[in-house]
């Protein structure tokens, strides 16, 4: 059965897949915004109720409750209004009702007047607030960019594999505290002996404008070799193959990273950062830049930045790293600068975009997050 009435007009229905127009004026944009804002508002209310369990310890001192309550109020009102507009304009009511549903759930829990629960001083291992902030920021930046400057305009926002990538985005954000412990703490504890006082003092006292490029080069050099090792060492490749199993590229696809891949890569990348003695401010700038660029180079945008292609990692550069074409296998490992790929013979950037993405042959990576988590522990031959 299709979703048509006897007169040929679409029947009201509920689906995340749609054949209706997605341009401005058809209710898709308002529905998408409603869903994002509704989920974010509901998550923020939960953070107020259970701050000791759901908020990132290092972010708590930065919050102003009055501003947050006002932001939650605006978010929930906007979600409800946009969801209502979408539900009126579209036969497919799913996005609008998702936004309205989460808004009503947040309102039932107290909305912007929700009391702050717990003491807020207890350490936590979850970061729902970090997820909410990431969801709002990345959605606000990358969804419009991918609609206005799309490389593959026919690729929908809700592509076939988006649920598993959203799961990675959610879990990796929620586990920010745990991942920080497993990635930063080992460098601080195990490599304290490698710090040379005069060197750390000299590096840490450099101007921020000098420290930031240096930290990017040092971290990217380390990450290049870690990344390359994951590709060529047979027992490590299955962990990284999860990341390469995405058949469509967009900002959310960059989140598809196995937890072992995340912990090993980030943990080892922090070693030179810590041992060289970069300042806390420089590290904070680096963390922001690496998150932004790692997301951007996966995005579905057509920009190539030709004058900078030899110096800065771009979407075109990294899309070829994900290409399923044989000549692109084990190429373009850098995240920040292709200099390392040029020096070590792995630079590959023809004057076109890849035809297809994913594993080059013999794909056998499962489709769900749970089975992907267990996938590297199964015995198999290396397939790339």
């Amino acid at each position: 059965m299709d979703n048509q009435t006897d007169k040929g007009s679409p029947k009201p229905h509920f689906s995340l897949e749609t054949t209706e127009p997605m341009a401005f004026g058809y209710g898709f944009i308002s529905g998408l915004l409603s869903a994002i804002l509704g989920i974010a508002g509901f998550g923020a209310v939960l953070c107020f109720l259970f701050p000791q369990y759901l908020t990132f310890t290092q972010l708590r001192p930065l919050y102003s409750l009055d501003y947050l309550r006002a932001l939650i109020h605006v978010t929930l009102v906007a979600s409800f209004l946009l969801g209502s507009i979408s539900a009126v304009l579209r036969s497919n009511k799913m996005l609008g009702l998702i936004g309205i549903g989460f808004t009503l759930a947040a309102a039932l829990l107290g909305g912007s007047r929700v009391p702050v629960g717990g003491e807020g001083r207890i350490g936590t291992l979850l970061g729902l607030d970090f997820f909410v902030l990431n969801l709002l920021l990345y959605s606000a930046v990358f969804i419009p960019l991918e609609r206005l400057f799309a490389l593959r305009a026919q690729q929908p926002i809700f592509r076939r594999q988006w649920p598993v990538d959203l799961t990675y985005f959610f879990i990796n954000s929620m586990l920010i505290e745990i991942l920080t412990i497993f990635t930063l703490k080992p460098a601080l504890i195990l490599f304290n002996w490698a710090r040379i006082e005069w060197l750390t003092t000299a590096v840490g006292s450099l101007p921020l404008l000098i420290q930031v490029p240096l930290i990017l080069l040092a971290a990217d050099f380390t990450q290049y070799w870690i990344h390359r090792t994951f590709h060529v060492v047979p027992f490590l490749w299955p962990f990284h193959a999860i990341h390469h199993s995405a058949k469509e590229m967009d900002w959310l696809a960059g989140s598809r990273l196995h937890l072992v891949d995340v912990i090993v890569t980030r943990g080892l990348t922090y070693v030179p950062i810590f041992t060289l003695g970069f300042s806390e401010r420089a590290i904070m700038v680096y963390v922001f830049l690496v998150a932004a660029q790692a997301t951007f180079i996966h995005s579905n945008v057509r920009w190539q930045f030709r004058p900078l292609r030899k110096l800065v990692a771009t979407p075109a550069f990294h899309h070829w790293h994900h290409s399923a074409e044989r000549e692109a296998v084990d190429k373009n490992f850098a995240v920040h600068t292709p200099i390392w790929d040029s020096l070590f013979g792995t630079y590959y950037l023809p004057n076109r975009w890849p035809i297809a993405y994913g594993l080059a042959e013999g794909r056998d990576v499962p489709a769900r997050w749970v089975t992907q988590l267990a996938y590297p522990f199964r015995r198999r031959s290396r397939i790339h």
Side-chain angles (χ1 to χ4, degrees), residues 146-380:
E146 293 187 339
R147 291 298 91 195
L148 294 172
F149 307 101
L151 169 64
R152 305 181 192 281
Q154 75 280 7
Q155 180 176 303
I157 293 175
F158 297 108
R159 52 184 170 75
R160 189 170 61 87
Q161 295 179 318
W162 77 268
V164 68
D165 291 331
L166 183 61
T167 303
Y168 278 102
F169 183 83
F170 173 73
I171 291 175
N172 290 344
S173 298
M174 285 288 289
L175 298 182
I176 181 63
E177 194 101 23
I178 295 175
L179 293 175
T180 299
I181 293 172
F182 278 100
T183 57
L184 187 57
K185 294 296 184 182
L188 298 178
I189 296 172
L190 299 178
F191 292 89
N192 189 52
W193 61 269
R195 288 169 62 89
I196 301 172
E197 185 175 355
W198 67 264
L199 179 61
T200 58
T201 301
V203 171
S205 62
L206 290 171
L208 188 64
L209 289 178
I210 296 178
Q211 283 196 62
V212 171
L214 289 179
I215 197 173
L216 289 172
L217 286 172
D220 204 34
F221 175 79
T222 307
Q223 183 275 336
Y224 171 92
W225 287 107
I226 298 167
H227 192 176
R228 189 166 177 176
T229 301
F230 265 98
H231 274 251
V232 300
V233 175
F235 81 89
L236 290 176
W237 167 247
F239 293 101
H240 192 61
I242 302 298
H243 184 62
H244 280 267
S245 65
K247 287 185 173 181
E248 295 169 297
M249 293 288 282
D250 62 14
W251 69 274
L252 194 57
S255 301
R256 187 184 297 202
L257 289 164
H258 195 280
L259 288 174
V260 171
D261 192 351
V262 173
I263 291 170
V264 172
T265 301
R266 292 184 189 174
L268 292 177
T269 302
Y270 277 125
V271 172
I273 294 175
F274 171 66
T275 56
L276 290 174
F278 290 101
S279 68
E280 184 176 344
R281 290 180 63 196
I283 294 174
M284 290 177 63
V285 173
Y286 162 74
V287 170
F288 171 78
L289 290 176
V290 70
Q293 189 166 14
T295 304
F296 177 62
I297 59 179
H298 291 89
S299 61
N300 178 33
V301 294
R302 59 180 179 266
W303 298 332
Q304 297 192 53
F305 302 98
R306 289 185 182 275
L308 301 174
R309 62 192 302 174
K310 290 282 189 177
L311 297 175
V312 179
T314 64
F317 173 82
H318 196 70
H319 276 224
W320 275 106
H321 178 70
H322 281 265
S323 173
E325 299 176 45
R326 291 300 308 175
E327 58 270 24
V329 170
D330 295 340
K331 304 293 184 182
N332 298 0
F333 294 110
V335 171
H336 298 298
T337 173
I339 290 174
W340 307 123
D341 287 282
S342 296
L343 285 175
F344 301 115
T346 54
Y347 181 84
Y348 184 77
L349 188 54
N351 291 317
R352 63 180 179 88
W353 291 86
I355 297 173
Y357 303 106
L359 301 177
E361 59 184 37
R363 167 189 285 274
D364 66 343
V365 173
R368 297 183 180 180
W369 181 86
V370 173
T371 49
Q372 288 186 3
L373 185 66
Y375 168 80
F377 302 101
R378 293 162 39 195
R379 306 186 78 179
R380 66 180 60 76

Side-chain angles (χ1 to χ4, degrees), residues 100-144:
I100 293 173
F102 275 100
T103 298
L104 293 177
L108 290 174
L109 292 176
S112 61
R113 297 177 180 269
V114 60
V116 179
E119 293 295 325
R121 295 190 296 268
I122 304 173
T124 180
L125 296 179
L126 300 177
L128 182 59
D129 55 339
F130 189 71
F131 164 72
V132 170
L133 292 172
N134 275 347
L135 179 66
L136 287 174
L137 178 61
Y138 285 122
S139 298
V141 172
F142 286 104
I143 290 178

